[in-house]
Amino acid sequence: MGEGTVLGVAIAVVGAFGSVLVARISTPRPGADRPALDVDERDVGELRVSSEIWQRFKILEGKVDHLTVIVEQQREQVTKLERLLRLAMRVIRRANRRLRLGQLEPEEVPVELIPYSID
């Protein structure tokens, strides 16, 4: 899985969660203790956000920060693993050259390592 894919999935999940949360919180619902609001477009004044929404977004912001840290750590691990796989491919190719020089049958290169070949 590429580093862009992991980051894209993380952003998509956070975006979906955020949009559902905003839609759920901002949908006006008439309750038993308050009448339904009849909003006229001309009466719209300053936008106010409830403290409940701010608290939920603070929690969401903490989760996004945590996800960002995880994505960065995974990106570092993927980079290290790719370096190791390239090194393994070089070792196999070098060993196969020596085997051919000794007129021996070279080792088969695992299909999984072929994308990491620099030749």
Side-chain angles (χ1 to χ4, degrees):
M1 189 179 273
E3 59 190 53
T5 305
V6 173
L7 184 60
V9 169
I11 290 171
V13 168
V14 170
F17 180 78
S19 64
V20 169
L21 182 65
V22 168
R24 195 166 170 232
I25 292 172
S26 63
T27 304
R29 291 178 198 92
D33 58 313
R34 63 176 187 236
L37 295 176
D38 196 18
V39 178
D40 185 12
E41 289 183 25
R42 290 173 282 148
D43 292 340
V44 176
E46 179 181 332
L47 177 64
R48 295 180 187 211
V49 180
S50 71
S51 61
E52 178 186 346
I53 293 173
W54 281 119
Q55 290 171 353
R56 288 188 182 195
F57 274 110
K58 285 180 185 178
I59 292 170
L60 181 61
E61 186 178 22
K63 290 180 180 183
V64 169
D65 290 343
H66 180 68
L67 261 178
T68 303
V69 169
I70 290 172
V71 167
E72 291 299 322
Q73 289 172 347
Q74 293 300 318
R75 183 179 298 153
E76 290 173 15
Q77 287 180 353
V78 166
T79 303
K80 289 176 186 176
L81 286 173
E82 285 177 345
R83 268 190 257 129
L84 288 173
L85 289 168
R86 285 190 190 97
L87 178 63
M89 189 65 183
R90 276 187 246 141
V91 168
I92 290 171
R93 294 212 186 246
R94 189 178 310 136
N96 281 344
R97 273 185 256 144
R98 289 181 181 167
L99 287 170
R100 281 189 206 102
L101 287 174
Q103 297 179 350
L104 297 171
E105 186 68 28
E107 289 292 322
E108 186 175 327
V109 176
V111 177
E112 296 86 6
L113 288 181
I114 292 175
Y116 299 99
S117 176
I118 51 179
D119 293 339

